[in-house]
DNA sequence: CGGGTCGTTGACTCTCATCAACCCTCGTGG
DNA sequence: CCACGAGGGTTGATGAGAGTCAACGACCCG
């Protein structure tokens, strides 16, 4: 068992223990889940819209994202996922996926068969509750994204998504104090915010000129967190951090 | 026990039974949940952003909606809820609400204390799974809304939300074959779609001129379902109807 | 009858999309 | 080692879709 997998599992267990009074059997059952490690190249599919899932995936390293396409081929990104996230837990409960999940970078995944997950959910209700909360937070983030694309202008949208990345990457241990590496093209940002790549570029330039962010390739530095937060109207309540770390 | 409550409960039980092999104890436990019936005027609050919930609410009659406000006072509506929906199930699992829930019309609610719900979730894992699926569908709808505000133009957004209402109100038994009563102001539609009331008005007029909808006050008739669907790019997959009725 | 809420319409403005050119970087292969 | 091409990012010119401001009309209720 490679080191990082161990770390990710332990972090998950700590997270779950915050949410319900787990007993030793819960811990055992969680670690006894069957899984296969898989290493994927950037852009490979985990789930395809219209299919039913055979596995749920725990991200060990790398990033993934979910998206949907409209009839006329426009893509909307629905969420990004970081190491420690259980992607597509809903796949084990819903018969058919309504969206697609793809790796964003090279990634290592622990694939867990949905059958084993369902069994775990019925056998260990407290674990099920803890996992349920993962999906609830996921939903809360989705709702904040509705606000993002529905109410904020381009500057606010980009600022907001940068704030969200800052929080979530820090929690995943992928961010230093000075900033973070964001392995995402401007096209991804555009599809996540409902803007065009051209306008994302302009907006990032503006944010940079205003001193709200600094960039070095895809490394994002945030010189003044409070200023960026207020440009974004960012309120981290929706991340439910009390359910994620102590 | 008034007649409609009985109907709503039975419909809920049938829905849950689709999702997990419930046994008699599950049914009993569900019906033994303590609750208080409450009748609310339009615009009253069920949940307030920043508070923690003491009850979750099963809608017996009437409509409700969830929303969030940005710093500068813009409101984004996140979802609408119809009779039979369990609103804010997440309130029993998350410590603090990240959004507000309000009645849209006069409504009757069965309020269930979160403690009893949590107990039910641990005692009856299959019921918990069935309820979990409610929240997963809710999340799936939220993701489709991201697509709606992120990718579609005004005409598509309004057409899409009208399609969604058509499906959901029909399932709730609130729609005839000719159309449905939509007890929603254009301001609500605007806040749900990220448009202004002025533009919603214009867009509805356009849809009407095109013959895609007919209106009589707030009654919406859809002369040609296929045409409206295609104007909306509507694909009902995201509603996961197989998990809602047989 | 008067006042409030809701919806419609017009005139004007502005943000963001579109189209297009050009740049940089990096990997590949001759 | 350099040429080439692809992917990603920046910039400019122009245009369209939606926002803003304002007036007015319809309806409902006290």
């Amino acid at each position: 068992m490679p080191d990082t997998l161990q770390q990710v599992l332990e972090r998950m267990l700590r997270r779950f223990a915050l949410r319900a009074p787990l007993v030793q059997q819960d811990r055992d059952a969680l670690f006894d889940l069957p899984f296969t490690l898989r290493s994927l190249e950037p852009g490979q599919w985990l789930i395809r819209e219209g299919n039913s899932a055979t596995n749920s995936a725990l991200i060990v390293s790398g990033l993934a994202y979910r998206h949907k396409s409209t009839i006329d081929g426009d893509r909307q990104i629905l969420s990004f996922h970081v190491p420690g996230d259980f992607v597509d837990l809903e796949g084990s409960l819903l018969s058919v996926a309504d969206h697609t999940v793809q790796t964003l970078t090279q990634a290592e995944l622990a694939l867990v068969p949905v059958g084993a997950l369902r069994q775990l959910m019925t056998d260990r209700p407290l674990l099920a509750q803890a996992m349920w909360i993962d999906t609830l937070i996921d939903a809360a983030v989705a709702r904040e994204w509705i606000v993002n694309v529905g109410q904020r202008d381009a500057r606010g949208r980009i600022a907001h998504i940068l704030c969200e990345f800052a929080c979530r990457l820090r929690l995943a241990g992928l961010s230093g104090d000075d900033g973070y590496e964001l392995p995402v093209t401007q096209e991804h940002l555009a599809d996540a915010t409902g803007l065009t790549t051209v306008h994302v570029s302009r907006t990032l330039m503006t944010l940079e000129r205003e001193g709200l962010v600094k960039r070095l390739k895809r490394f994002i530095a945030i010189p003044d967190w409070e200023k960026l937060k207020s440009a974004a109207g960012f309120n981290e309540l929706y991340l439910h951090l009390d359910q994620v770390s102590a």
Side-chain angles (χ1 to χ4, degrees), chain A residues 74-88:
Chain A
D74 298 320
R75 180 178 68 165
Q76 174 69 45
I77 294 181
L78 303 166
S79 61
F80 290 104
H81 294 284
V82 301
D85 284 4
F86 230 126
V87 187
D88 205 50

Side-chain angles (χ1 to χ4, degrees), chain A residues 42-43 62-66 75 77-82 102-106 145 158 161-162 164-166 168-169 174 180-193 197 200-201 204 215-220:
Chain A
L63 298 190
Y65 69 110
R66 304 201 275 184
R75 180 178 68 165
I77 294 181
L78 303 166
S79 61
F80 290 104
H81 294 284
V82 301
Q102 243 176 311
T103 54
L104 196 57
T105 63
Q106 158 98 28
W145 280 40
I158 298 292
I161 208 169
L162 292 179
E164 183 176 312
F165 270 121
R168 296 189 56 204
L169 290 175
L174 291 178
Y180 55 86
E181 181 69 24
L182 187 63
V184 144
T185 64
Q186 295 189 356
E187 188 173 1
H188 288 122
L189 289 179
D191 289 345
T193 52
T197 57
V200 167
S201 172
L204 280 170
R215 290 180 296 164
L216 234 107
K217 308 254 177 193
R218 291 185 185 158
F219 186 89
I220 305 287

